[in-house]
Amino acid sequence: MTRPLVLIVDDEAGILATLGGILADNGFEVATTPSGTEALDLYATRKPEIVFLDVWLPDRDGLETLQTLREFDPRATIIMISGHGTAVTAVRAIKMGAFDYLEKPLSYEQVMAAARAGLAHHTARSAGTAGVAGAMPEESGGFSVHPEPRRTTIPPLLHLERSRTPQRTLRQNTVLYGLGLHSGGRTGMVLQPLPAGSGIHFHSMPSGESIPAHVSAVGDTDYATTLGLNGSTIKTVEHLLSALHASGITNLLVKVHGEVPVLDGSAAEFCRTIEEIGVEEQGETRLEFVVDRKYEVGSGEKMLTIEPFDGFAVSYLLRYPPPIGEQFFDFELTSFAAYKQAIAPARTFGFLRDLKMMNELGLGSGGRLDNFILVGEDHVVNTELRFPDEFVRHKILDIIGDLYLLGYPLRGRVRAHLTGHRDNIAMVRKLVAENRVP
């Protein structure tokens, strides 16, 4: 008797082995792959009765793969699995035609119940139906590739200069997992290379909306920088953008559920990922925004200025009550290595006195002992500082990230006194507004 075939699609080798072992021991034939693209080819050639499909895949996300499979074969019985999804993702998957949605960690009983129910469902739907509905597309091994994200038309800016530095992207796809700092929910993020001239885009996996990394999409700036478009939002983008700005990556697609993972509260893990995956220099050189004169936002002691400078540098004066006190740091982005050493490890921070207000705003729920510096009345509560002046260095990290929402690397000197995300974004808006071609 032929054993029913189950296709397992997951980027974690441990899941492939464990889940495959459970199903094989219970009478199923098993095929596995960590790739969404390869899963499409396997489905077309082997026609499995059931597919266990992870939401987070490095080459194409699970929801996209689900949609393509269902378009090719409306009878496909697909069980979505994820350890870093949300209720919104589960609802969307079911609406798109998934048979079931399971949360990791998976139990033996949960897997077998879903497999048996899925097999019965597939058998019932297949009874009396000849062939597979739908024709096989010809692209990408039989299935069409994910379209390039919609590029936002940004009005031409004065003071854009073509530099000798090439445009850059990542060499290959990768996935990162973690918590959302403000949502507190488990989340993940897929980074995918884009061609030269594409820019940086965020893709909201729950809604499918593509949001440009541009100041025109900035919404909320309380405690973090949030992008939004047509009701979809991506929170806490500044740490990732800071690492991308410093590494010179100009073209990238970032697929995420609502909030970029906070990881350890700094940009260090993003930098490590960029180094491990590798950066690909592209054929075209990049445009840079060259500051031509002094720009200023704020008033009194709270002030942010940008002046002409042959390079990119940020100095910041921070002043809080003890135990932080007054801190000053001056940083010039001479290389990615300089950024990794002096700025990237500096973590985000907050105060005990603000926790009640942050909770009322629904923020800070993902703060943990290892990803957030918590400052009490007279001492740091939860960790050892990585630098004596870690607080001011993190402010510079945020500025480097927020200024990348200009859409171009910036050539100029930034001086900041007691400012935050709102001021950073106000400066970017000022640069855009005052430098449009008439």
Side-chain angles (χ1 to χ4, degrees):
M1 181 178 178
T2 303
R3 298 194 299 169
L5 176 62
V6 176
L7 174 61
I8 307 171
V9 191
D10 198 295
D11 68 320
E12 297 182 59
I15 294 292
L16 294 179
T18 302
L19 187 55
I22 290 173
L23 293 166
D25 289 344
N26 284 271
F28 289 90
E29 183 182 355
V30 176
T32 65
T33 177
S35 162
T37 300
E38 186 177 348
L40 302 178
D41 293 336
L42 285 171
Y43 191 91
T45 56
R46 301 195 62 182
K47 312 260 188 327
E49 281 82 355
I50 308 169
V51 179
F52 281 86
L53 176 60
D54 189 24
V55 169
W56 295 102
L57 298 170
D59 54 350
R60 53 189 299 157
D61 66 75
L63 293 179
E64 177 189 345
T65 305
L66 166 66
Q67 180 177 357
T68 307
L69 285 172
R70 293 282 299 168
E71 288 173 353
F72 172 63
D73 181 7
R75 297 181 292 116
T77 301
I78 302 168
I79 300 168
M80 301 299 294
I81 54 177
S82 177
H84 303 271
T86 64
V88 174
T89 307
V91 169
R92 185 172 179 224
I94 297 300
K95 287 184 176 180
M96 290 172 64
F99 171 71
D100 201 353
Y101 186 101
L102 305 180
E103 277 286 337
K104 298 176 184 176
L106 303 172
S107 69
Y108 176 91
E109 292 78 9
Q110 187 182 31
V111 167
M112 289 313 304
R116 292 183 183 115
L119 181 59
H121 172 79
H122 178 82
T123 301
R125 294 192 66 179
S126 299
T129 305
V132 175
M136 173 70 72
E138 296 180 355
E139 301 177 8
S140 184
F143 288 87
S144 61
V145 297
H146 185 68
E148 183 178 337
R150 183 176 67 251
R151 295 176 59 181
T152 300
T153 301
I154 302 173
L157 301 176
L158 295 174
H159 313 301
L160 283 181
E161 290 188 8
R162 182 72 64 179
S163 74
R164 295 182 179 180
T165 304
Q167 296 184 38
R168 293 174 178 150
T169 190
L170 289 180
R171 287 186 177 174
Q172 63 186 51
N173 303 343
T174 191
V175 180
L176 287 171
Y177 298 112
L179 292 175
L181 176 62
H182 293 300
S183 67
R186 292 178 295 174
T187 187
M189 179 174 66
V190 178
L191 304 178
Q192 295 184 349
L194 285 180
S198 298
I200 296 171
H201 297 259
F202 288 83
H203 177 87
S204 172
M205 289 183 66
S207 69
E209 191 72 52
S210 181
I211 306 174
H214 186 258
V215 68
S216 60
V218 172
D220 189 18
T221 54
D222 288 334
Y223 297 99
T225 301
T226 299
L227 301 180
L229 186 67
N230 298 329
S232 297
T233 59
I234 307 291
K235 297 179 180 179
T236 322
V237 300
E238 63 272 15
H239 298 173
L240 174 62
L241 288 176
S242 185
L244 297 180
H245 195 171
S247 64
I249 291 177
T250 53
N251 305 297
L252 195 69
L253 179 62
V254 182
K255 295 183 176 181
V256 66
H257 274 278
E259 187 172 10
V260 173
V262 66
L263 303 176
D264 72 346
S266 74
E269 186 63 31
F270 297 130
C271 291
R272 279 192 290 272
T273 298
I274 290 169
E275 281 200 315
E276 289 172 2
I277 297 302
V279 173
E280 178 181 307
E281 294 191 347
Q282 299 173 294
E284 300 178 24
T285 56
R286 74 186 191 185
L287 288 170
E288 295 178 352
F289 184 92
V290 180
V291 176
D292 66 316
R293 58 185 173 84
K294 184 176 181 179
Y295 296 83
E296 186 175 287
V297 296
S299 61
E301 281 194 311
K302 191 173 184 180
M303 185 71 65
L304 180 68
T305 64
I306 298 184
E307 302 172 337
F309 180 71
D310 188 18
F312 180 51
V314 183
S315 63
Y316 194 103
L317 174 67
L318 175 149
R319 187 180 299 125
Y320 283 111
I324 295 178
E326 183 171 297
Q327 298 182 1
F328 175 82
F329 196 77
D330 187 24
F331 174 73
E332 182 177 352
L333 183 60
T334 56
S335 66
F336 188 38
Y339 173 85
K340 288 185 299 177
Q341 180 178 4
I343 301 299
R347 293 162 294 176
T348 192
F349 61 92
F351 300 88
L352 272 173
R353 63 176 180 266
D354 294 335
L355 286 184
K356 183 175 184 296
M357 178 177 65
M358 291 178 71
N359 288 334
E360 289 174 351
L361 293 172
L363 302 173
S365 301
R368 297 293 186 269
L369 294 179
D370 60 349
N371 65 17
F372 185 80
I373 303 173
L374 186 59
V375 183
E377 293 298 321
D378 55 7
H379 68 287
V380 172
V381 173
N382 64 325
T383 187
E384 295 292 328
L385 294 180
R386 295 174 176 175
F387 308 99
D389 54 0
E390 186 169 355
F391 304 96
V392 69
R393 293 177 191 239
H394 186 80
K395 286 289 191 178
I396 292 175
L397 185 156
D398 283 344
I399 287 175
I400 294 171
D402 284 339
L403 291 184
Y404 210 27
L405 290 166
L406 182 63
Y408 305 93
L410 189 141
R411 201 185 306 167
R413 172 171 284 281
V414 182
R415 303 182 192 274
H417 293 188
L418 317 180
T419 53
H421 293 293
R422 191 182 306 275
D423 308 287
N424 302 339
I425 297 306
M427 175 59 77
V428 178
R429 287 180 172 141
K430 186 180 187 73
L431 293 175
V432 170
E434 294 189 11
N435 290 283
R436 293 180 188 272
V437 173

